[in-house]
Amino acid sequence: EDQVTQSPEALRLQEGESSSLNCSYTVSGLRGLFWYRQDPGKGPEFLFTLYSAGEEKEKERLKATLTKKESFLHITAPKPEDSATYLCAVQANSGNTPLVFGKGTRLSVIA
Amino acid sequence: KAGVTQTPRYLIKTRGQQVTLSCSPISGHRSVSWYQQTPGQGLQFLFEYFSETQRNKGNFPGRFSGRQFSNSRSEMNVSTLELGDSALYLCASSSQGTNTGELFFGEGSRLTVL
């Protein structure tokens, strides 16, 4: 069974304090790993897709990396507007399989 | 370009009742997926429709059903509601389906079952 575990569950940072969120996964052949951001009262918003180990993607203060067992979302010099829940999802490489989501990391950035 | 629209945004039902939720995808998107989100379980896949055909189904009881119309709009129905059905129900659309992993989510329908 495909599984995604995200850690920590919650993270509180001071503005400018860089950190990383972790996403560990087990999947029977990885088609892709996806990062989403979810603000309170909103639906998730797509951030990145990673397909193979060693791949990196960047967007503003966010950088996502991928290994064979986990992915990291690095947040450099975060701002209060980066506060959100960050969700990781994987998709297996077998037919039309749905995304399997982790429970997310709730990030709070304090000014 | 209008986003994914879900209605109603909030609703309260009692046990045993049924509920129908609606989702209008982004124009041109033929795939609609439904997810249930709860604090304890996170996002769990319900089903996906592509061009009016159910292409995938998650591990939910038969009380949960859905359909997609020719204009790609989708509805999901939950019959004989239970307290545990209280959740945020999210709809997501995509031009190609879940294959791309890039889903566009609506803001959800928050269901409370009393």
Side-chain angles (χ1 to χ4, degrees):
Chain A
E1 182 181 334
D2 303 335
Q3 285 190 325
V4 177
T5 303
Q6 293 189 244
S7 61
E9 288 187 15
L11 181 62
R12 187 180 171 99
L13 299 174
Q14 292 292 320
E15 184 172 4
E17 180 186 2
S18 301
S19 187
S20 296
L21 313 182
N22 177 262
C23 170
S24 298
Y25 64 91
T26 54
V27 64
S28 52
L30 180 70
R31 170 175 288 173
L33 183 141
F34 313 94
W35 283 97
Y36 283 80
R37 167 189 171 132
Q38 185 173 23
D39 293 302
K42 305 274 188 178
E45 177 186 353
F46 172 79
L47 292 173
F48 303 111
T49 305
L50 301 166
Y51 292 106
S52 56
E55 189 174 358
E56 297 182 354
K57 292 277 181 70
E58 285 190 66
K59 181 179 181 179
E60 296 181 2
R61 295 175 292 282
L62 301 176
K63 182 168 80 171
T65 61
L66 180 65
T67 72
K68 289 189 177 180
K69 292 186 178 181
E70 57 192 350
S71 176
F72 293 93
L73 185 65
H74 308 276
I75 304 176
T76 303
K79 299 182 177 182
E81 53 263 41
D82 294 322
S83 297
T85 295
Y86 290 86
L87 299 166
C88 172
V90 297
Q91 185 177 38
N93 191 19
S94 54
N96 285 319
T97 55
L99 303 189
V100 175
F101 281 85
K103 294 182 181 181
T105 293
R106 190 173 63 254
L107 174 68
S108 301
V109 181
I110 312 302
Chain B
K1 195 174 188 181
V4 177
T5 303
Q6 291 189 246
T7 57
R9 290 292 314 281
Y10 304 91
L11 64 166
I12 300 173
K13 294 286 187 178
T14 56
R15 280 182 300 174
Q17 286 187 311
Q18 73 164 13
V19 66
T20 299
L21 308 178
S22 179
C23 172
S24 293
I26 291 173
S27 178
H29 284 190
R30 296 162 64 189
S31 167
V32 173
S33 300
W34 289 89
Y35 286 83
Q36 180 195 66
Q37 187 174 34
T38 59
Q41 299 297 319
L43 270 142
Q44 292 190 293
F45 174 75
L46 282 157
F47 25 67
E48 181 205 356
Y49 287 87
F50 187 90
S51 295
E52 301 180 67
T53 300
Q54 187 180 85
R55 193 157 70 171
N56 239 319
K57 190 178 191 306
N59 295 324
F60 279 82
R63 301 185 296 108
F64 292 80
S65 63
R67 59 178 175 168
Q68 186 179 33
F69 302 96
S70 58
N71 61 357
S72 293
R73 190 177 71 85
S74 178
E75 289 181 347
M76 68 162 283
N77 183 275
V78 188
S79 62
T80 320
L81 284 166
E82 301 176 359
L83 295 179
D85 296 332
S86 294
L88 180 67
Y89 289 88
L90 290 161
C91 165
S93 78
S94 170
S95 58
Q96 299 179 43
T98 55
N99 288 339
T100 68
E102 184 175 350
L103 304 179
F104 296 83
F105 284 87
E107 295 192 329
S109 293
R110 183 165 295 282
L111 171 65
T112 301
V113 182
L114 302 177

